[in-house]
Amino acid sequence: MKKLIIPILAFLFAVPAMAQNRIPDITLKDLNGNSVKVSEVADSGKIVVINFWATWCGPCLKELTNINDVIEEWKEKYNIEFIAVSIDDSRTTQKVKPFVEAKNWVGYKILLDVASDLKRAMNVLDPPYTFVYDQKGNLYYSHPGYQEGAEIELEEKIAELAKLNK
């Protein structure tokens, strides 16, 4: 019996980790109500950054505000697609579009994960949480939380990935 426990535990811990290795096949709405299949973004041939955030999350707002200052440069330099996934629920989701417009976050593709489907599929507990996928949709890097300056490390990871695929 003991010989079975270790393989079973290894499998149970491996399954959630495997779920994050590819961008999940989930459809969300953008700020204009259009459906966006998140997995299709992986087919763009670009590095894909997915960041989970919420209007009520202070560290999330600081992170996206700091990245907003350099996002256009990153897009040009590294050929990335940056998706900011709001996990605001049905009570606060109506605040997202005016909030994004007020912040002038035009460099992000904003998606709404009102039911937390993508959040669950990617095993995200709390925002902010950032994932970086290569040009083929494979997970390259992930980082929970945010501390001032973490965007520098994020750019380093994106630059490494861009260099690997030249």
Side-chain angles (χ1 to χ4, degrees):
M1 182 68 174
K2 288 182 181 179
K3 290 182 181 180
L4 285 175
I5 291 175
I6 292 175
I8 290 171
L9 287 175
F11 175 77
L12 291 174
F13 284 108
V15 169
M18 289 188 303
Q20 295 179 18
N21 287 336
R22 301 279 303 161
I23 297 175
D25 193 22
I26 291 176
T27 301
L28 300 176
K29 299 283 185 185
D30 67 12
L31 291 179
N32 297 317
N34 301 313
S35 294
V36 176
K37 195 170 192 177
V38 182
S39 62
E40 287 180 0
V41 177
D43 295 333
S44 68
K46 295 181 177 185
I47 294 171
V48 177
V49 179
I50 299 177
N51 177 275
F52 287 86
W53 70 285
T55 56
W56 45 262
C57 170
C60 301
L61 306 181
K62 184 67 174 164
E63 179 177 35
L64 288 175
T65 298
N66 287 347
I67 293 172
N68 192 57
D69 292 340
V70 294
I71 191 65
E72 293 305 324
E73 178 186 326
W74 288 7
K75 284 181 170 186
E76 191 174 308
K77 199 171 178 182
Y78 306 117
N79 193 30
I80 69 166
E81 179 75 40
F82 198 108
I83 303 171
V85 180
S86 167
I87 61 164
D88 283 84
D89 62 19
S90 58
R91 292 174 298 162
T92 58
T93 196
Q94 71 275 6
K95 297 177 183 178
V96 175
K97 185 173 183 175
F99 187 89
V100 167
E101 288 171 351
K103 291 283 192 181
N104 198 29
W105 288 349
V106 296
Y108 304 123
K109 180 179 289 212
I110 307 287
L111 299 180
L112 306 172
D113 192 14
V114 179
S116 293
D117 294 332
L118 186 62
K119 179 184 167 200
R120 271 192 306 279
M122 294 179 70
N123 297 315
V124 172
L125 297 177
D126 294 312
Y129 208 111
T130 304
F131 296 87
V132 178
Y133 290 87
D134 69 12
Q135 295 87 335
K136 295 178 183 172
N138 299 305
L139 181 63
Y140 181 74
Y141 170 77
S142 65
H143 186 270
Y146 176 75
Q147 291 184 348
E148 193 72 34
E151 62 277 4
I152 296 165
E153 180 182 348
L154 177 60
E155 183 180 13
E156 289 170 357
K157 295 298 181 182
I158 293 168
E160 283 174 15
L161 185 54
K163 196 180 291 184
L164 284 174
N165 291 295
K166 279 194 174 188

